[in-house]
Amino acid sequence: MILSRTTVSASGRCAADWAAHEARLRGVPLRALSGPLSATVRATAIVCGVRSTDAVPPPPLFGAQNTAVSAPVVLVPEDRGPWQHRSGVVLGVDARDPARAAIDFAFDCARVQGGWLHAVHAWELPPDTARLPFGVPDADRATWEDQEVQLLADVLRPWCARYPGVPVLEDVRLLAPAGALLRCSAKAALIVIGRSPRAIGWGSVARALLPEAVCPLAVVPSS
């Protein structure tokens, strides 16, 4: 577990408190760094504070290439909501292209916290449905939604077996990913999303979540 001293001094103590609490739960040492991080740094997670005005983590944390960091990065809001006393993890899952490292991190966080896991898969109607003169028939929509539900269940099945003590809510939403996660995270202690190695910077979902999320956001790079 690593905490960026540079970020904490700029944004307050919430990130430090979150990192210390998580380190205690996991029984791992907490290390504070003042300089930029790199891919050579090994950590369970990297924790930094963000404010409502931050679009991305402060550049000193990662230097020029934030995509080089291979550990999960937990962005802790310093000015939004009493999330410190909540439990539960909201996981964003693309059931067609699941970020397995993010799923594993989310399940493990829920296990460590003794909380629940809310797995959210956002989907959209096929593009050609916009041209239908009378909208989408209810039967077709129900069939497509059933398929999405099955996709999500198939993706999560191995982790549900690996973490039998974690209660899991599987949730399929006909919404944009960021909107679906924000709606589901009002009572959560943590949001977890994946970051593809093909993504530039922090990706559109992370950027959309940062200004409005009321709990910490973990961005987990795919291996």
Side-chain angles (χ1 to χ4, degrees), residues 28-53:
V28 298
L30 180 63
R31 180 182 176 193
L33 295 180
S34 58
L37 299 172
S38 70
T40 60
V41 172
R42 302 297 178 189
T44 305
I46 298 163
V47 183
C48 62
V50 292
R51 295 158 296 192
S52 57
T53 54

Side-chain angles (χ1 to χ4, degrees), residues 76-216:
V76 181
E78 297 288 348
D79 52 3
R80 279 166 273 168
W83 49 262
Q84 294 91 334
H85 304 296
R86 300 174 187 165
S87 64
V89 176
V90 171
L91 166 65
V93 184
D94 181 350
R96 286 183 167 74
D97 185 19
R100 302 185 186 281
I103 297 173
D104 196 65
F105 183 79
F107 268 88
D108 191 52
C109 286
R111 175 192 63 83
V112 169
Q113 295 175 7
W116 42 264
L117 179 75
H118 188 165
V120 181
H121 167 53
W123 69 291
E124 58 185 18
L125 296 172
D128 57 356
T129 59
R131 297 193 295 270
L132 295 175
F134 302 107
V136 179
D138 290 342
D140 289 347
R141 175 170 171 165
T143 298
W144 292 330
E145 187 164 10
D146 287 345
Q147 292 172 348
E148 301 298 322
V149 169
Q150 188 60 54
L151 282 173
L152 179 60
D154 290 343
V155 166
L156 295 178
R157 188 173 295 111
W159 282 274
C160 290
R162 191 181 307 166
Y163 296 91
V166 175
V168 178
L169 171 62
E170 299 176 7
D171 192 358
V172 170
R173 301 264 175 148
L174 186 58
L175 288 169
L181 291 171
L182 286 172
R183 288 195 181 189
C184 296
S185 62
K187 297 182 180 180
L190 180 68
I191 303 173
V192 178
I193 61 173
R195 175 170 60 81
S196 167
R198 300 181 297 276
I200 299 174
W202 288 93
S204 59
V205 176
R207 287 179 180 274
L209 287 171
L210 273 178
E212 299 187 54
V214 294
C215 66

